[in-house]
């Protein structure tokens, strides 16, 4: 099995297709999971569930303190030329993430106890535990990707922890087991613990002999500086993904949060695709960049972004044509959100086709530049949402997303083209094809 995956990883297009397929499969599984949860709960309770899920997920990203991105950058930088430093950065990340997960759990429990008097102690503990395990999963997944390859890591990340949760929610829908917020998070935590164990196996088996034999070098002060910048950048990026549901809930109520979450979850197939694109290219791109192989990096990005275009075209067409049935899966209460769904899908599809610019900036040394871009974009998003959502409801939230995401993704791709000489967007792919035809 391991040899078969290794052969698959050695073919760029096949491995990229496998990684993207796993990401889409995970996205579909998550979509079905939340469809079943929506049918098992009334709109208000579903709104509370998704607000807690998004809050815990946001906390987990911040608690990782940028180590999920730092390991991708550092592994590409050290694995071959400095095994002792590679071993040291693994230890550094484990210490930081372990501390972050503990703080995430304690902080989540304290905040929930203060702001939501309707939650019992068991539910608060389950949500806090989910924030902690999600923190470790994020770091362990990227470590496994850097060391063991995208196919192995994405199989665990996208399928392993979700499958038990899917089975539990399905059983709850048919009345086989009692279903509620507490059970959802308890089963999710159990699934993530299993995923963490699987990631550990991938990492241990994939460690190069030179790194395995090396004595860890000293931790470098520059890693702390990088971590601070990456934490701010990744936290701001995560706020783009998770904060909308929370803000819509606080501004318009749990029912509106449920409706916005539904369209965001369907349109989220494109960010999932983007993530799959980033997951495959991130570690390889960093290695090619630090090795000075710019032309090989251009070929890699052109292949993967071209492949993403095929996926995006098919998925966007499907959403436009089947918007009613897709929304109806969640229940009749959500069918009226067709217009916002198509608009949000178009925005997220555009961002996908600009390529993995954000990941390239963070893993190839321009994390401070990306931090400035993403913080500015987040400020625009929050400001627009606070103004537009009260005025236009869910439509206002969608417009706020567009006002922030389109300029950010465009600027990230343009910066890569200017600073690295590689354009990761579909425009760069088109230019490359035109140049080849003219030859």
């Amino acid at each position: 099995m391991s040899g078969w995956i290794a052969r698959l990883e050695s073919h760029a297009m096949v491995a990229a297709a496998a990684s993207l397929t796993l990401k889409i499969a995970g996205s579909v599984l998550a979509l079905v999971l939340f469809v079943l949860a929506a049918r098992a709960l009334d709109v208000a309770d579903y709104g509370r569930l998704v607000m807690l899920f998004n809050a815990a997920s946001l906390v987990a990203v911040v608690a990782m303190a940028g180590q999920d991105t730092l390991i991708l950058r550092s592994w590409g930088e050290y694995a071959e030329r400095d095994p002792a430093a590679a071993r040291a950065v693994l230890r550094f990340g484990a210490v930081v993430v372990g501390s972050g997960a503990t703080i995430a759990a304690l902080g989540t429990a304290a905040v929930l106890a203060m702001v939501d008097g309707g939650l019992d102690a068991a539910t608060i503990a389950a949500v806090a535990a989910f924030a902690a395990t999600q923190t470790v999963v994020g770091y362990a997944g990227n470590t496994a990707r850097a060391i063991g390859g995208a196919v192995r890591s994405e199989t665990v990340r996208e399928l392993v922890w979700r499958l038990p949760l899917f089975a539990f929610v399905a059983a709850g829908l048919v009345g086989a087991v009692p279903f509620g917020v507490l059970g959802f998070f308890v089963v999710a935590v159990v699934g993530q613990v299993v995923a963490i164990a699987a990631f550990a196996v991938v990492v241990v088996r994939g460690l190069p002999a030179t790194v395995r034999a090396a004595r860890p070098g000293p931790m470098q002060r520059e890693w702390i500086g990088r971590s601070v910048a990456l934490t701010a950048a990744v936290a701001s990026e995560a706020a783009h993904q998770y904060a909308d549901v929370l803000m819509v809930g606080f501004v318009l109520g749990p029912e509106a949060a449920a409706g916005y979450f539904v369209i965001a979850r369907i349109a989220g197939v494109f960010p999932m695709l983007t993530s799959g694109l980033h997951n495959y290219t991130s570690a390889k791109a960093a290695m090619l960049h630090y090795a000075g192989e710019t032309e090989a990096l251009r070929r890699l990005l052109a292949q993967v972004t071209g492949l993403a275009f095929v996926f995006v075209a098919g998925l966007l067409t499907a959403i436009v044509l089947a918007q009613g049935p897709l929304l109806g899966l969640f229940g009749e209460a959500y069918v009226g959100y067709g217009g916002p769904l198509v608009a949000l899908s178009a925005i997220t599809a555009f961002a996908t086709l600009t390529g993995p610019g954000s990941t390239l900036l963070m893993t190839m040394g321009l994390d401070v530049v990306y931090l400035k871009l993403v913080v500015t974009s987040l400020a625009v998003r929050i400001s627009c949402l606070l103004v537009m959502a009260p005025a236009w409801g869910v439509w206002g939230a969608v417009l706020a997303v567009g006002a922030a995401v389109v300029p950010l993704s465009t600027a990230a791709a343009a910066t890569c083209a200017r600073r690295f000489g590689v354009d990761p967007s579909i425009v760069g792919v088109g230019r490359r094809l035109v140049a080849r035809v003219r030859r």
Side-chain angles (χ1 to χ4, degrees):
M1 180 69 174
S2 178
W4 177 80
I5 294 177
R7 287 193 296 272
L8 187 152
E9 291 271 12
S10 67
H11 298 282
M13 285 295 288
V14 176
S19 180
L20 291 175
T21 300
L22 284 168
K23 204 68 182 179
I24 291 173
S27 178
V28 170
L29 182 60
L31 177 64
V32 174
L33 190 157
F34 281 107
V35 164
L36 298 178
R39 288 190 167 274
L41 299 170
D42 62 36
V43 175
D45 285 342
Y46 185 64
R48 293 186 187 95
L49 171 63
V50 299
M51 289 178 70
L52 288 170
F53 179 84
N54 279 264
S57 298
L58 177 57
V59 167
V61 173
V62 177
M64 276 186 282
Q67 299 310 299
D68 55 328
T69 304
L70 181 66
I71 188 60
L72 293 175
R73 171 178 175 173
S74 299
W75 194 257
E77 192 173 356
Y78 301 130
E80 294 187 3
R81 68 177 181 85
D82 193 347
R87 187 78 179 264
V89 81
L90 285 173
R91 184 176 62 179
F92 176 80
V95 170
V96 172
V97 170
S99 302
T102 303
I103 295 170
L106 296 176
T108 299
V111 171
L112 288 179
M114 288 188 295
V115 303
D116 195 334
L119 293 177
D120 57 46
T123 301
I124 290 174
V127 176
F130 177 78
T133 54
Q134 183 86 324
T135 301
V136 179
V137 163
Y139 172 70
N142 274 18
T143 304
R145 182 193 316 157
I147 296 173
V151 175
R152 292 182 180 89
S153 65
E154 289 309 297
T155 300
V156 177
R157 187 197 295 264
E158 296 302 327
L159 302 179
V160 169
W161 79 267
R162 286 193 176 108
L163 287 173
L165 186 58
F166 173 82
F168 173 71
V169 177
L173 180 62
V174 300
V177 297
F179 175 72
V181 174
L182 172 60
F184 180 95
F185 283 105
V186 167
V187 176
V189 168
V190 172
Q192 290 193 330
V193 169
V194 173
I196 291 167
F199 283 135
V201 172
V202 172
V203 170
V204 170
R205 289 183 175 178
L207 275 177
T210 52
V211 177
R212 191 189 301 274
R215 178 174 296 180
M219 297 186 185
Q220 300 179 20
R221 182 175 297 181
E222 67 186 45
W223 296 345
I224 298 175
R226 289 179 184 178
S227 296
V228 171
L230 289 171
T231 299
V234 173
S236 298
E237 194 173 61
H240 277 282
Q241 181 178 356
Y242 297 114
D244 287 353
V245 172
L246 298 175
M247 294 183 68
V248 169
F250 284 124
V251 172
L252 301 175
E255 291 83 359
Y260 182 81
F261 179 83
V262 165
I263 67 168
R265 180 55 59 172
I266 297 173
V269 69
F270 297 105
M272 282 286 187
L273 185 63
T274 302
S275 180
L277 181 68
H278 293 194
N279 288 350
Y280 177 72
T281 58
S282 52
K284 291 183 178 293
M287 287 186 173
L288 291 173
H289 171 69
Y290 288 111
E293 299 182 23
T294 303
E295 183 56 32
L297 177 56
R298 290 194 187 105
R299 286 198 302 271
L300 172 67
L301 293 173
Q303 289 173 343
V304 175
T305 304
L307 181 64
F309 175 78
V310 176
F311 280 93
V312 166
L315 289 169
L316 186 58
T317 300
I319 288 174
V320 171
L321 296 178
Q323 56 185 275
L326 284 171
L327 290 166
L329 292 173
F330 289 85
E332 289 300 316
Y334 305 100
V335 174
Y337 289 99
L341 169 61
V342 172
L344 187 60
S345 297
I347 292 167
T348 53
F350 175 87
T352 297
L353 293 180
T354 59
S358 59
T359 300
L360 296 181
L361 293 177
M362 287 191 289
T363 58
M364 288 161 53
L366 294 184
D367 39 283
V368 175
V369 173
Y370 182 66
L371 172 61
K372 294 177 182 178
L373 290 175
V374 76
V375 169
T376 301
S377 176
L378 180 61
V380 171
R381 188 169 188 155
I382 292 174
S383 300
C384 290
L385 195 147
L386 290 175
V387 172
M388 295 177 177
W392 300 312
V394 171
W395 260 113
V398 171
L399 294 174
V401 172
V405 169
V406 171
L408 171 64
S409 54
T410 303
T415 303
C416 287
R418 185 175 66 254
R419 300 290 292 271
F420 301 133
V422 292
D423 184 348
S425 72
I426 194 66
V427 174
V429 174
R431 288 173 178 165
R432 187 177 179 85
L433 289 174
V434 170
R436 291 180 64 180
V437 169
R438 287 179 176 174
R439 289 178 196 160

